[in-house]
Amino acid sequence: MAGERLYRLTIHELHERLSRGEVSSQEITEILLKRISEVDPQIKAYLMVAEQEAMKGAHEAAHRIAAGKISPLTGVPLAIKDNMCTQGIKATCASKILEDFVSPYDATVVKNIKEEGGILLGKTNMDEFAMGSSTENSRFTITRNPWNLDTIPGGSSGGSAAAVAADECIASIGSDTGGSIRQPAACCGVVGMKPTYGRISRYGLVAFASSLDQIGPITKDVEDCAILLNVIAGHDPLDSTSANLPTPDYRKALVKDVRGWVLGIPKEFFVEGMDPEVEERVWEGIRVLEDLGAVVKEISLPHTGYAVATYYIICPAEASSNLARYDGVKYGFRAAKSKDLMEMYLETRFEGFGAEVKRRIMLGTYVLSSGYYDAYYRKASQVRTLIKGDFEEALQGCDVIITPTSPTPAFHLGEKVQDPLQMYLSDIFTISMNLAGVPAISIPCGFSSGGLPIGLQIIGRPFEEERIIQVAYTFEQNTDHHTKRPQLT
Ligand code: GLN
């Protein structure tokens, strides 16, 4: 096996090898830890590498495998975004205010992964509290896009997506409030899914905007997405918003057939101002599916133009409330030498939060304040209902909806940091699905002339992740974009 780059394997490929005894869970974990030590100094996808924990998990997995108890995730090393609780390990949210916070318990998603014998390699970088689209809002480090080290990996799950693209893990877990799984997956040329709101437990995910947040997989291919979803989806009594519905076997949706399927193409998503190469690649992708027998139909999501404005009222409103708990008393960081309690609160939050987080807290507090509540928050909630209605109506007349994931390929580091509005527009194609609660996946559909990956987004009806998996799988099995890997030295 010498000379083979085993870190490149997908979950299903690694599973085959583990089952046949061609590699052990300890060997693959060591290979990945070595890979991280070699490439992460350039990429900086990880905030923390949990070597001891990983080797411990690898030994446990080896015992299971020896006892014949291997399941698809047993012995597979994974990375987790740093806004999820991992018992005994830090969960910082890339914020100074949680710099030394050690999770007292495992998030349900992490618990499910461990129960299946999955191995935790470490915690990945992100925008502070998941607020951002480039991972540049991390208080600790800048993550680079493995395809071009001068560009952003996307955000906020930039570390998780970059770690997959750079083969620093077999797959990873991210969270998506307005695009934070799909947009970085698109920027890094990997697969990322935001499942239906309620499909996956949020227990142990640090809350950002609770009515929008959803955890999901970031993987090298669609089959891995289905495998990971099988492990993390399902009802959880610890999260009152998790849906009490049976979970299908998502691998059954790995079917290469879209004949007769109606693909809705919303005209509002193909507008002037978007990068022409993105538009071209996405249309080429749609044509691939059409050639395979799918039917293309123009549809309308008429309230799309209000999505960004609506999101930037609802999301900060919820964030301002969720982040009120970081007061220097209960969690993490506390400012030193304050003369009284009020000064301690003020100083702690002043020093503990970065600029974007403060901006959201102020915006959110403003739109919730009496006198402005009706004009902003209530209005936004009403528009949200209209946006949700757009999807309900459109999805009655088509099987899935197809759009670009992001209006541009990865942009340059520093390009948008001084201009929050420009940064907010990075999510123009992903935000509506969070407002509507519908599932969506981003898959690679080609490259820009500059060699940067471009993502195609497939959106489905609530709790019909199988359909988007089937379309994504069919596309992937008839193209080779997902097999390309960045050249790292
Ligand atoms: N970029 C969006 C924001 O800054 C979405 C972030 C996310 O999905 N966590 O809020």
Side-chain angles (χ1 to χ4, degrees):
M1 222 167 302
E4 262 195 287
R5 293 176 288 185
L6 294 182
Y7 45 76
R8 289 210 165 175
L9 297 177
T10 61
I11 298 177
H12 54 98
E13 290 164 350
L14 174 58
H15 174 73
E16 291 285 307
R17 299 205 183 209
L18 288 163
S19 305
R20 292 198 296 257
E22 291 171 13
V23 65
S24 72
S25 50
Q26 290 104 323
E27 280 163 352
I28 189 66
T29 305
E30 280 165 4
I31 288 170
L32 279 157
L33 290 170
K34 181 158 173 277
R35 173 78 178 166
I36 295 170
S37 71
E38 281 166 3
V39 304
D40 210 51
Q42 316 168 50
I43 307 290
K44 297 206 162 55
Y46 284 89
L47 283 178
M48 188 255 179
V49 180
E51 265 180 59
Q52 277 184 350
E53 177 79 10
M55 288 317 297
K56 194 168 142 264
H59 287 296
E60 283 168 19
H63 282 301
R64 279 179 197 239
I65 295 169
K69 283 187 278 183
I70 184 165
S71 59
L73 220 50
T74 312
V76 176
L78 305 168
I80 309 278
K81 187 175 180 180
D82 208 23
N83 59 350
M84 283 168 240
C85 287
T86 41
Q87 190 171 20
I89 292 178
K90 280 195 206 174
T92 69
C93 289
S95 179
K96 212 179 148 190
I97 214 151
L98 285 174
E99 191 165 8
D100 297 315
F101 176 72
V102 176
S103 325
Y105 60 85
D106 276 330
T108 297
V109 162
V110 174
K111 181 175 137 281
N112 290 348
I113 288 173
K114 287 186 180 169
E115 277 173 9
E116 290 291 312
I119 297 165
L120 172 68
L121 281 174
K123 305 295 288 289
T124 52
N125 197 23
M126 53 184 285
D127 288 296
E128 185 177 13
F129 282 102
M131 299 175 188
S133 308
S134 68
T135 311
E136 291 164 299
N137 291 335
S138 167
R139 298 293 299 280
F140 302 130
T141 190
I142 299 282
T143 299
R144 289 164 189 269
N145 189 321
W147 291 93
N148 176 342
L149 300 180
D150 296 327
T151 65
I152 56 114
S156 64
S157 312
S160 287
V164 174
D167 294 306
E168 296 182 65
C169 59
I170 302 295
S172 69
I173 298 287
S175 70
D176 189 311
T177 304
S180 278
I181 288 174
R182 292 160 287 157
Q183 185 257 9
C187 290
C188 292
V190 294
V191 174
M193 180 195 267
K194 179 202 92 72
T196 312
Y197 184 77
R199 183 83 274 186
I200 295 178
S201 169
R202 291 183 295 114
Y203 181 73
L205 167 70
V206 177
F208 164 16
S210 310
S211 78
L212 302 158
D213 298 341
Q214 191 58 196
I215 293 173
I218 300 180
T219 57
K220 294 175 187 171
D221 68 11
V222 177
E223 183 166 349
D224 279 6
C225 176
I227 293 171
L228 213 39
L229 200 57
N230 274 350
V231 175
I232 62 177
H235 179 240
D236 179 11
L238 296 171
D239 171 6
S240 63
T241 62
S242 98
N244 196 351
L245 292 170
T247 320
D249 176 358
Y250 293 105
R251 288 185 98 164
K252 294 220 170 93
L254 300 170
V255 177
K256 283 181 268 181
D257 186 11
V258 289
R259 276 170 302 167
W261 285 47
V262 180
L263 315 175
I265 315 295
K267 57 173 192 261
E268 294 82 1
F269 281 68
F270 292 86
V271 286
E272 235 176 277
M274 76 188 276
D275 188 293
E277 289 189 313
V278 170
E279 189 165 359
E280 275 167 38
R281 292 297 98 77
V282 171
W283 272 110
E284 285 164 16
I286 295 169
R287 297 293 170 226
V288 167
L289 291 166
E290 205 176 29
D291 288 344
L292 293 164
V295 180
V296 170
K297 177 181 166 186
E298 186 183 275
I299 58 162
S300 174
L301 297 165
H303 298 94
T304 298
Y306 303 106
V308 173
T310 304
Y311 174 88
Y312 278 98
I313 292 173
I314 290 177
C315 152
E318 293 185 16
S320 71
S321 160
N322 274 326
L323 271 57
R325 73 191 68 173
Y326 305 105
D327 57 4
V329 178
K330 295 188 283 295
Y331 299 95
F333 173 75
R334 176 186 298 177
K337 293 189 271 188
S338 307
K339 70 174 186 307
D340 57 25
L341 185 63
M342 188 54 82
E343 193 180 291
M344 189 281 286
Y345 287 153
L346 288 173
E347 283 299 318
T348 295
R349 288 168 70 84
F350 179 75
E351 288 174 43
F353 291 134
E356 183 60 29
V357 175
K358 285 178 196 154
R359 185 177 298 124
R360 305 273 178 120
I361 291 173
M362 287 188 281
L363 267 170
T365 308
Y366 180 76
V367 300
L368 288 174
S369 57
S370 67
Y372 292 106
Y373 182 94
D374 283 345
Y376 294 108
Y377 186 74
R378 185 188 302 279
K379 193 78 178 172
S381 302
Q382 288 165 339
V383 178
R384 180 181 191 173
T385 306
L386 296 175
I387 291 171
K388 190 161 174 278
D390 282 358
F391 280 94
E392 279 163 9
E393 207 177 306
L395 284 162
Q396 275 173 17
C398 58
D399 291 287
V400 294
I401 296 173
I402 296 194
T403 73
T405 306
S406 177
T408 63
F411 43 88
H412 279 93
L413 288 163
E415 193 178 320
K416 300 190 182 179
V417 275
Q418 300 307 333
D419 190 345
L421 276 180
Q422 276 306 316
M423 192 68 94
Y424 295 172
L425 288 173
S426 307
D427 303 305
I428 191 160
F429 297 147
T430 47
I431 271 173
S432 320
M433 298 83 213
N434 299 76
L435 290 168
V438 296
I441 193 171
S442 177
I443 55 171
C445 71
F447 292 83
S448 70
S449 49
L452 290 169
I454 291 173
L456 173 134
Q457 180 171 234
I458 308 168
I459 303 145
R461 301 187 193 113
F463 302 104
E464 287 191 357
E465 282 82 3
E466 303 97 299
R467 277 175 190 263
I468 58 180
I469 288 173
Q470 183 164 339
V471 178
Y473 186 70
T474 305
F475 178 83
E476 182 188 88
Q477 295 300 307
N478 286 282
T479 51
D480 65 353
H481 312 299
H482 67 289
T483 60
K484 309 258 163 63
R485 283 275 166 282
Q487 294 297 315
L488 289 168
T489 42

